[in-house]
PDB file of all heavy atoms in Angstrom:
ATOM      1  N   ASN A  80      -1.440   6.740   1.123  1.00 96.00           N
ATOM      2  CA  ASN A  80      -0.646   7.539   2.057  1.00 96.00           C
ATOM      3  C   ASN A  80       0.560   8.151   1.351  1.00 96.00           C
ATOM      4  O   ASN A  80       1.660   8.193   1.877  1.00 96.00           O
ATOM      5  CB  ASN A  80      -0.211   6.750   3.292  1.00 96.00           C
ATOM      6  CG  ASN A  80       0.044   7.665   4.474  1.00 96.00           C
ATOM      7  OD1 ASN A  80      -0.573   8.712   4.594  1.00 96.00           O
ATOM      8  ND2 ASN A  80       0.968   7.288   5.336  1.00 96.00           N
ATOM      9  N   LEU A  81       0.326   8.651   0.138  1.00 97.00           N
ATOM     10  CA  LEU A  81       1.367   9.286  -0.650  1.00 97.00           C
ATOM     11  C   LEU A  81       1.219  10.797  -0.561  1.00 97.00           C
ATOM     12  O   LEU A  81       0.110  11.319  -0.625  1.00 97.00           O
ATOM     13  CB  LEU A  81       1.271   8.854  -2.115  1.00 97.00           C
ATOM     14  CG  LEU A  81       1.241   7.342  -2.373  1.00 97.00           C
ATOM     15  CD1 LEU A  81       1.076   7.066  -3.856  1.00 97.00           C
ATOM     16  CD2 LEU A  81       2.473   6.665  -1.819  1.00 97.00           C
ATOM     17  N   ASP A  82       2.340  11.499  -0.428  1.00 94.00           N
ATOM     18  CA  ASP A  82       2.254  12.959  -0.435  1.00 94.00           C
ATOM     19  C   ASP A  82       2.685  13.552  -1.776  1.00 94.00           C
ATOM     20  O   ASP A  82       2.494  14.727  -2.035  1.00 94.00           O
ATOM     21  CB  ASP A  82       3.027  13.591   0.728  1.00 94.00           C
ATOM     22  CG  ASP A  82       4.524  13.364   0.678  1.00 94.00           C
ATOM     23  OD1 ASP A  82       5.014  12.697  -0.247  1.00 94.00           O
ATOM     24  OD2 ASP A  82       5.212  13.865   1.581  1.00 94.00           O
ATOM     25  N   GLU A  83       3.259  12.712  -2.634  1.00 95.00           N
ATOM     26  CA  GLU A  83       3.614  13.132  -3.985  1.00 95.00           C
ATOM     27  C   GLU A  83       3.366  11.945  -4.913  1.00 95.00           C
ATOM     28  O   GLU A  83       3.707  10.812  -4.567  1.00 95.00           O
ATOM     29  CB  GLU A  83       5.088  13.543  -4.027  1.00 95.00           C
ATOM     30  CG  GLU A  83       5.515  14.197  -5.305  1.00 95.00           C
ATOM     31  CD  GLU A  83       6.957  14.687  -5.259  1.00 95.00           C
ATOM     32  OE1 GLU A  83       7.553  14.764  -4.169  1.00 95.00           O
ATOM     33  OE2 GLU A  83       7.483  14.999  -6.334  1.00 95.00           O
ATOM     34  N   VAL A  84       2.755  12.206  -6.068  1.00 97.00           N
ATOM     35  CA  VAL A  84       2.418  11.139  -7.007  1.00 97.00           C
ATOM     36  C   VAL A  84       3.144  11.401  -8.328  1.00 97.00           C
ATOM     37  O   VAL A  84       3.163  12.535  -8.809  1.00 97.00           O
ATOM     38  CB  VAL A  84       0.888  11.061  -7.220  1.00 97.00           C
ATOM     39  CG1 VAL A  84       0.533  10.072  -8.317  1.00 97.00           C
ATOM     40  CG2 VAL A  84       0.190  10.689  -5.923  1.00 97.00           C
ATOM     41  N   TYR A  85       3.724  10.345  -8.906  1.00 98.00           N
ATOM     42  CA  TYR A  85       4.504  10.462 -10.136  1.00 98.00           C
ATOM     43  C   TYR A  85       3.765   9.959 -11.369  1.00 98.00           C
ATOM     44  O   TYR A  85       4.321  10.002 -12.469  1.00 98.00           O
ATOM     45  CB  TYR A  85       5.809   9.672 -10.015  1.00 98.00           C
ATOM     46  CG  TYR A  85       6.629   9.972  -8.790  1.00 98.00           C
ATOM     47  CD1 TYR A  85       7.336   8.962  -8.158  1.00 98.00           C
ATOM     48  CD2 TYR A  85       6.710  11.249  -8.259  1.00 98.00           C
ATOM     49  CE1 TYR A  85       8.117   9.220  -7.045  1.00 98.00           C
ATOM     50  CE2 TYR A  85       7.484  11.510  -7.132  1.00 98.00           C
ATOM     51  CZ  TYR A  85       8.174  10.498  -6.538  1.00 98.00           C
ATOM     52  OH  TYR A  85       8.940  10.753  -5.417  1.00 98.00           O
ATOM     53  N   VAL A  86       2.554   9.432 -11.201  1.00 98.00           N
ATOM     54  CA  VAL A  86       1.794   8.862 -12.315  1.00 98.00           C
ATOM     55  C   VAL A  86       0.426   9.526 -12.393  1.00 98.00           C
ATOM     56  O   VAL A  86       0.007  10.207 -11.458  1.00 98.00           O
ATOM     57  CB  VAL A  86       1.638   7.330 -12.155  1.00 98.00           C
ATOM     58  CG1 VAL A  86       2.983   6.625 -12.237  1.00 98.00           C
ATOM     59  CG2 VAL A  86       0.940   6.982 -10.842  1.00 98.00           C
ATOM     60  N   LYS A  87      -0.264   9.286 -13.501  1.00 97.00           N
ATOM     61  CA  LYS A  87      -1.621   9.809 -13.653  1.00 97.00           C
ATOM     62  C   LYS A  87      -2.510   8.718 -14.252  1.00 97.00           C
ATOM     63  O   LYS A  87      -2.017   7.703 -14.774  1.00 97.00           O
ATOM     64  CB  LYS A  87      -1.629  11.061 -14.524  1.00 97.00           C
ATOM     65  CG  LYS A  87      -1.188  10.839 -15.941  1.00 97.00           C
ATOM     66  CD  LYS A  87      -1.102  12.145 -16.702  1.00 97.00           C
ATOM     67  CE  LYS A  87      -0.693  11.972 -18.149  1.00 97.00           C
ATOM     68  NZ  LYS A  87       0.437  11.140 -18.420  1.00 97.00           N
ATOM     69  N   LYS A  88      -3.805   8.932 -14.170  1.00 97.00           N
ATOM     70  CA  LYS A  88      -4.775   7.984 -14.713  1.00 97.00           C
ATOM     71  C   LYS A  88      -4.452   7.705 -16.178  1.00 97.00           C
ATOM     72  O   LYS A  88      -4.166   8.622 -16.941  1.00 97.00           O
ATOM     73  CB  LYS A  88      -6.191   8.560 -14.585  1.00 97.00           C
ATOM     74  CG  LYS A  88      -7.262   7.619 -15.058  1.00 97.00           C
ATOM     75  CD  LYS A  88      -8.637   8.206 -14.858  1.00 97.00           C
ATOM     76  CE  LYS A  88      -9.695   7.254 -15.394  1.00 97.00           C
ATOM     77  NZ  LYS A  88     -11.042   7.767 -15.171  1.00 97.00           N
ATOM     78  N   GLY A  89      -4.458   6.407 -16.514  1.00 98.00           N
ATOM     79  CA  GLY A  89      -4.182   5.992 -17.883  1.00 98.00           C
ATOM     80  C   GLY A  89      -2.741   5.577 -18.130  1.00 98.00           C
ATOM     81  O   GLY A  89      -2.448   4.928 -19.138  1.00 98.00           O
ATOM     82  N   ASP A  90      -1.830   5.929 -17.228  1.00 98.00           N
ATOM     83  CA  ASP A  90      -0.426   5.547 -17.393  1.00 98.00           C
ATOM     84  C   ASP A  90      -0.262   4.038 -17.284  1.00 98.00           C
ATOM     85  O   ASP A  90      -0.872   3.396 -16.417  1.00 98.00           O
ATOM     86  CB  ASP A  90       0.465   6.196 -16.325  1.00 98.00           C
ATOM     87  CG  ASP A  90       0.734   7.662 -16.569  1.00 98.00           C
ATOM     88  OD1 ASP A  90       0.317   8.198 -17.613  1.00 98.00           O
ATOM     89  OD2 ASP A  90       1.371   8.280 -15.689  1.00 98.00           O
ATOM     90  N   LYS A  91       0.556   3.462 -18.146  1.00 98.00           N
ATOM     91  CA  LYS A  91       0.970   2.066 -18.026  1.00 98.00           C
ATOM     92  C   LYS A  91       2.171   2.048 -17.093  1.00 98.00           C
ATOM     93  O   LYS A  91       3.080   2.878 -17.230  1.00 98.00           O
ATOM     94  CB  LYS A  91       1.364   1.488 -19.379  1.00 98.00           C
ATOM     95  CG  LYS A  91       0.291   1.578 -20.438  1.00 98.00           C
ATOM     96  CD  LYS A  91      -0.828   0.620 -20.194  1.00 98.00           C
ATOM     97  CE  LYS A  91      -1.797   0.681 -21.369  1.00 98.00           C
ATOM     98  NZ  LYS A  91      -3.090   0.164 -21.045  1.00 98.00           N
ATOM     99  N   VAL A  92       2.180   1.129 -16.125  1.00 98.00           N
ATOM    100  CA  VAL A  92       3.299   1.024 -15.186  1.00 98.00           C
ATOM    101  C   VAL A  92       3.890  -0.377 -15.250  1.00 98.00           C
ATOM    102  O   VAL A  92       3.208  -1.329 -15.614  1.00 98.00           O
ATOM    103  CB  VAL A  92       2.875   1.376 -13.738  1.00 98.00           C
ATOM    104  CG1 VAL A  92       2.434   2.826 -13.638  1.00 98.00           C
ATOM    105  CG2 VAL A  92       1.776   0.459 -13.228  1.00 98.00           C
ATOM    106  N   THR A  93       5.151  -0.460 -14.877  1.00 97.00           N
ATOM    107  CA  THR A  93       5.837  -1.745 -14.875  1.00 97.00           C
ATOM    108  C   THR A  93       6.189  -2.140 -13.443  1.00 97.00           C
ATOM    109  O   THR A  93       6.239  -1.299 -12.549  1.00 97.00           O
ATOM    110  CB  THR A  93       7.133  -1.666 -15.715  1.00 97.00           C
ATOM    111  OG1 THR A  93       7.962  -0.633 -15.195  1.00 97.00           O
ATOM    112  CG2 THR A  93       6.816  -1.387 -17.176  1.00 97.00           C
ATOM    113  N   THR A  94       6.435  -3.409 -13.240  1.00 95.00           N
ATOM    114  CA  THR A  94       6.799  -3.934 -11.923  1.00 95.00           C
ATOM    115  C   THR A  94       7.968  -3.145 -11.342  1.00 95.00           C
ATOM    116  O   THR A  94       8.950  -2.893 -12.028  1.00 95.00           O
ATOM    117  CB  THR A  94       7.179  -5.422 -12.041  1.00 95.00           C
ATOM    118  OG1 THR A  94       6.077  -6.128 -12.624  1.00 95.00           O
ATOM    119  CG2 THR A  94       7.509  -6.026 -10.689  1.00 95.00           C
ATOM    120  N   LYS A  95       7.818  -2.705 -10.100  1.00 95.00           N
ATOM    121  CA  LYS A  95       8.796  -1.945  -9.319  1.00 95.00           C
ATOM    122  C   LYS A  95       8.946  -0.484  -9.762  1.00 95.00           C
ATOM    123  O   LYS A  95       9.808   0.225  -9.264  1.00 95.00           O
ATOM    124  CB  LYS A  95      10.160  -2.628  -9.297  1.00 95.00           C
ATOM    125  CG  LYS A  95      10.157  -3.976  -8.599  1.00 95.00           C
ATOM    126  CD  LYS A  95      11.553  -4.523  -8.485  1.00 95.00           C
ATOM    127  CE  LYS A  95      11.568  -5.869  -7.793  1.00 95.00           C
ATOM    128  NZ  LYS A  95      12.917  -6.419  -7.673  1.00 95.00           N
ATOM    129  N   GLN A  96       8.088  -0.010 -10.672  1.00 97.00           N
ATOM    130  CA  GLN A  96       8.144   1.403 -11.062  1.00 97.00           C
ATOM    131  C   GLN A  96       7.663   2.269  -9.909  1.00 97.00           C
ATOM    132  O   GLN A  96       6.665   1.957  -9.261  1.00 97.00           O
ATOM    133  CB  GLN A  96       7.255   1.634 -12.286  1.00 97.00           C
ATOM    134  CG  GLN A  96       7.210   3.098 -12.723  1.00 97.00           C
ATOM    135  CD  GLN A  96       6.346   3.303 -13.951  1.00 97.00           C
ATOM    136  OE1 GLN A  96       6.158   2.395 -14.764  1.00 97.00           O
ATOM    137  NE2 GLN A  96       5.819   4.516 -14.087  1.00 97.00           N
ATOM    138  N   ASP A  97       8.371   3.373  -9.642  1.00 98.00           N
ATOM    139  CA  ASP A  97       7.958   4.302  -8.590  1.00 98.00           C
ATOM    140  C   ASP A  97       6.639   4.970  -8.962  1.00 98.00           C
ATOM    141  O   ASP A  97       6.486   5.486 -10.070  1.00 98.00           O
ATOM    142  CB  ASP A  97       9.024   5.386  -8.375  1.00 98.00           C
ATOM    143  CG  ASP A  97      10.282   4.872  -7.700  1.00 98.00           C
ATOM    144  OD1 ASP A  97      10.247   3.767  -7.126  1.00 98.00           O
ATOM    145  OD2 ASP A  97      11.295   5.596  -7.744  1.00 98.00           O
ATOM    146  N   LEU A  98       5.696   4.948  -8.003  1.00 98.00           N
ATOM    147  CA  LEU A  98       4.386   5.560  -8.193  1.00 98.00           C
ATOM    148  C   LEU A  98       4.273   6.893  -7.472  1.00 98.00           C
ATOM    149  O   LEU A  98       3.515   7.765  -7.889  1.00 98.00           O
ATOM    150  CB  LEU A  98       3.288   4.620  -7.684  1.00 98.00           C
ATOM    151  CG  LEU A  98       3.258   3.227  -8.313  1.00 98.00           C
ATOM    152  CD1 LEU A  98       2.218   2.360  -7.613  1.00 98.00           C
ATOM    153  CD2 LEU A  98       2.995   3.314  -9.802  1.00 98.00           C
ATOM    154  N   GLY A  99       4.997   7.037  -6.364  1.00 98.00           N
ATOM    155  CA  GLY A  99       4.940   8.269  -5.592  1.00 98.00           C
ATOM    156  C   GLY A  99       5.740   8.144  -4.309  1.00 98.00           C
ATOM    157  O   GLY A  99       6.170   7.052  -3.933  1.00 98.00           O
ATOM    158  N   ARG A 100       5.926   9.293  -3.656  1.00 98.00           N
ATOM    159  CA  ARG A 100       6.649   9.321  -2.382  1.00 98.00           C
ATOM    160  C   ARG A 100       5.658   9.122  -1.243  1.00 98.00           C
ATOM    161  O   ARG A 100       4.598   9.745  -1.211  1.00 98.00           O
ATOM    162  CB  ARG A 100       7.381  10.651  -2.207  1.00 98.00           C
ATOM    163  CG  ARG A 100       8.256  10.668  -0.951  1.00 98.00           C
ATOM    164  CD  ARG A 100       9.002  11.968  -0.780  1.00 98.00           C
ATOM    165  NE  ARG A 100       8.002  13.026  -0.576  1.00 98.00           N
ATOM    166  CZ  ARG A 100       8.202  14.295  -0.906  1.00 98.00           C
ATOM    167  NH1 ARG A 100       9.313  14.689  -1.453  1.00 98.00           N
ATOM    168  NH2 ARG A 100       7.262  15.190  -0.688  1.00 98.00           N
ATOM    169  N   ILE A 101       6.019   8.277  -0.295  1.00 97.00           N
ATOM    170  CA  ILE A 101       5.162   7.964   0.846  1.00 97.00           C
ATOM    171  C   ILE A 101       5.275   9.076   1.880  1.00 97.00           C
ATOM    172  O   ILE A 101       6.364   9.562   2.174  1.00 97.00           O
ATOM    173  CB  ILE A 101       5.550   6.596   1.458  1.00 97.00           C
ATOM    174  CG1 ILE A 101       5.483   5.509   0.372  1.00 97.00           C
ATOM    175  CG2 ILE A 101       4.626   6.251   2.620  1.00 97.00           C
ATOM    176  CD1 ILE A 101       6.170   4.218   0.752  1.00 97.00           C
ATOM    177  N   TYR A 102       4.141   9.464   2.428  1.00 96.00           N
ATOM    178  CA  TYR A 102       4.044  10.557   3.397  1.00 96.00           C
ATOM    179  C   TYR A 102       4.790  10.227   4.685  1.00 96.00           C
ATOM    180  O   TYR A 102       4.641   9.144   5.245  1.00 96.00           O
ATOM    181  CB  TYR A 102       2.566  10.815   3.702  1.00 96.00           C
ATOM    182  CG  TYR A 102       2.302  11.791   4.811  1.00 96.00           C
ATOM    183  CD1 TYR A 102       2.541  13.148   4.646  1.00 96.00           C
ATOM    184  CD2 TYR A 102       1.791  11.360   6.027  1.00 96.00           C
ATOM    185  CE1 TYR A 102       2.285  14.057   5.672  1.00 96.00           C
ATOM    186  CE2 TYR A 102       1.525  12.252   7.053  1.00 96.00           C
ATOM    187  CZ  TYR A 102       1.780  13.600   6.870  1.00 96.00           C
ATOM    188  OH  TYR A 102       1.526  14.487   7.888  1.00 96.00           O
ATOM    189  N   PHE A 103       5.591  11.175   5.149  1.00 95.00           N
ATOM    190  CA  PHE A 103       6.250  11.080   6.450  1.00 95.00           C
ATOM    191  C   PHE A 103       5.405  11.855   7.453  1.00 95.00           C
ATOM    192  O   PHE A 103       5.160  13.043   7.272  1.00 95.00           O
ATOM    193  CB  PHE A 103       7.664  11.680   6.409  1.00 95.00           C
ATOM    194  CG  PHE A 103       8.311  11.790   7.769  1.00 95.00           C
ATOM    195  CD1 PHE A 103       8.829  10.669   8.393  1.00 95.00           C
ATOM    196  CD2 PHE A 103       8.375  13.008   8.421  1.00 95.00           C
ATOM    197  CE1 PHE A 103       9.416  10.771   9.653  1.00 95.00           C
ATOM    198  CE2 PHE A 103       8.957  13.125   9.678  1.00 95.00           C
ATOM    199  CZ  PHE A 103       9.477  11.995  10.286  1.00 95.00           C
ATOM    200  N   ASN A 104       4.946  11.175   8.508  1.00 92.00           N
ATOM    201  CA  ASN A 104       4.122  11.814   9.530  1.00 92.00           C
ATOM    202  C   ASN A 104       5.031  12.380  10.615  1.00 92.00           C
ATOM    203  O   ASN A 104       5.677  11.618  11.332  1.00 92.00           O
ATOM    204  CB  ASN A 104       3.152  10.793  10.129  1.00 92.00           C
ATOM    205  CG  ASN A 104       2.199  11.408  11.119  1.00 92.00           C
ATOM    206  OD1 ASN A 104       2.562  12.313  11.873  1.00 92.00           O
ATOM    207  ND2 ASN A 104       0.986  10.912  11.130  1.00 92.00           N
ATOM    208  N   PRO A 105       5.095  13.721  10.735  1.00 92.00           N
ATOM    209  CA  PRO A 105       5.996  14.303  11.735  1.00 92.00           C
ATOM    210  C   PRO A 105       5.571  14.024  13.174  1.00 92.00           C
ATOM    211  O   PRO A 105       6.410  14.022  14.070  1.00 92.00           O
ATOM    212  CB  PRO A 105       5.941  15.806  11.426  1.00 92.00           C
ATOM    213  CG  PRO A 105       4.687  16.008  10.658  1.00 92.00           C
ATOM    214  CD  PRO A 105       4.386  14.724   9.959  1.00 92.00           C
ATOM    215  N   THR A 106       4.296  13.754  13.410  1.00 92.00           N
ATOM    216  CA  THR A 106       3.818  13.460  14.760  1.00 92.00           C
ATOM    217  C   THR A 106       4.313  12.093  15.234  1.00 92.00           C
ATOM    218  O   THR A 106       4.864  11.953  16.314  1.00 92.00           O
ATOM    219  CB  THR A 106       2.283  13.523  14.830  1.00 92.00           C
ATOM    220  OG1 THR A 106       1.863  14.796  14.346  1.00 92.00           O
ATOM    221  CG2 THR A 106       1.782  13.311  16.237  1.00 92.00           C
ATOM    222  N   SER A 107       4.110  11.077  14.392  1.00 91.00           N
ATOM    223  CA  SER A 107       4.543   9.722  14.762  1.00 91.00           C
ATOM    224  C   SER A 107       5.993   9.456  14.362  1.00 91.00           C
ATOM    225  O   SER A 107       6.579   8.468  14.793  1.00 91.00           O
ATOM    226  CB  SER A 107       3.653   8.685  14.086  1.00 91.00           C
ATOM    227  OG  SER A 107       3.852   8.695  12.682  1.00 91.00           O
ATOM    228  N   GLU A 108       6.537  10.338  13.522  1.00 94.00           N
ATOM    229  CA  GLU A 108       7.878  10.172  12.966  1.00 94.00           C
ATOM    230  C   GLU A 108       8.015   8.856  12.209  1.00 94.00           C
ATOM    231  O   GLU A 108       9.051   8.180  12.276  1.00 94.00           O
ATOM    232  CB  GLU A 108       8.960  10.325  14.041  1.00 94.00           C
ATOM    233  CG  GLU A 108       8.979  11.707  14.647  1.00 94.00           C
ATOM    234  CD  GLU A 108      10.161  11.956  15.579  1.00 94.00           C
ATOM    235  OE1 GLU A 108      10.938  11.009  15.852  1.00 94.00           O
ATOM    236  OE2 GLU A 108      10.299  13.097  16.019  1.00 94.00           O
ATOM    237  N   LYS A 109       6.952   8.499  11.461  1.00 95.00           N
ATOM    238  CA  LYS A 109       6.956   7.265  10.676  1.00 95.00           C
ATOM    239  C   LYS A 109       6.518   7.547   9.247  1.00 95.00           C
ATOM    240  O   LYS A 109       5.730   8.446   8.981  1.00 95.00           O
ATOM    241  CB  LYS A 109       6.026   6.221  11.294  1.00 95.00           C
ATOM    242  CG  LYS A 109       6.512   5.675  12.610  1.00 95.00           C
ATOM    243  CD  LYS A 109       5.588   4.611  13.134  1.00 95.00           C
ATOM    244  CE  LYS A 109       6.089   4.085  14.475  1.00 95.00           C
ATOM    245  NZ  LYS A 109       5.157   3.135  15.061  1.00 95.00           N
ATOM    246  N   THR A 110       7.026   6.730   8.348  1.00 96.00           N
ATOM    247  CA  THR A 110       6.623   6.727   6.950  1.00 96.00           C
ATOM    248  C   THR A 110       5.913   5.400   6.732  1.00 96.00           C
ATOM    249  O   THR A 110       6.542   4.345   6.803  1.00 96.00           O
ATOM    250  CB  THR A 110       7.861   6.857   6.036  1.00 96.00           C
ATOM    251  OG1 THR A 110       8.559   8.057   6.385  1.00 96.00           O
ATOM    252  CG2 THR A 110       7.466   6.900   4.582  1.00 96.00           C
ATOM    253  N   VAL A 111       4.591   5.451   6.487  1.00 96.00           N
ATOM    254  CA  VAL A 111       3.793   4.225   6.429  1.00 96.00           C
ATOM    255  C   VAL A 111       3.000   4.163   5.132  1.00 96.00           C
ATOM    256  O   VAL A 111       2.218   5.069   4.826  1.00 96.00           O
ATOM    257  CB  VAL A 111       2.818   4.133   7.628  1.00 96.00           C
ATOM    258  CG1 VAL A 111       1.952   2.887   7.523  1.00 96.00           C
ATOM    259  CG2 VAL A 111       3.592   4.142   8.939  1.00 96.00           C
ATOM    260  N   LEU A 112       3.185   3.084   4.374  1.00 96.00           N
ATOM    261  CA  LEU A 112       2.385   2.823   3.182  1.00 96.00           C
ATOM    262  C   LEU A 112       1.232   1.914   3.549  1.00 96.00           C
ATOM    263  O   LEU A 112       1.426   0.884   4.201  1.00 96.00           O
ATOM    264  CB  LEU A 112       3.227   2.146   2.094  1.00 96.00           C
ATOM    265  CG  LEU A 112       2.444   1.743   0.837  1.00 96.00           C
ATOM    266  CD1 LEU A 112       1.996   2.975   0.064  1.00 96.00           C
ATOM    267  CD2 LEU A 112       3.272   0.819  -0.037  1.00 96.00           C
ATOM    268  N   LYS A 113       0.028   2.284   3.119  1.00 95.00           N
ATOM    269  CA  LYS A 113      -1.138   1.411   3.263  1.00 95.00           C
ATOM    270  C   LYS A 113      -1.332   0.742   1.907  1.00 95.00           C
ATOM    271  O   LYS A 113      -1.486   1.418   0.886  1.00 95.00           O
ATOM    272  CB  LYS A 113      -2.361   2.219   3.666  1.00 95.00           C
ATOM    273  CG  LYS A 113      -2.164   2.879   5.024  1.00 95.00           C
ATOM    274  CD  LYS A 113      -3.321   3.748   5.409  1.00 95.00           C
ATOM    275  CE  LYS A 113      -3.036   4.401   6.764  1.00 95.00           C
ATOM    276  NZ  LYS A 113      -4.164   5.201   7.224  1.00 95.00           N
TER     277      LYS A 113
END
Side-chain angles (χ1 to χ4, degrees):
N80 205 30
L81 307 177
D82 64 359
E83 189 175 346
V84 173
Y85 308 144
V86 295
K87 64 185 181 312
K88 183 178 178 178
D90 284 355
K91 303 288 185 200
V92 296
T93 57
T94 303
K95 296 186 180 180
Q96 178 179 334
D97 288 344
L98 303 174
R100 185 179 64 208
I101 304 165
Y102 173 71
F103 172 76
N104 184 324
T106 305
S107 68
E108 297 188 354
K109 291 183 181 175
T110 303
V111 177
L112 176 69
K113 297 177 181 183

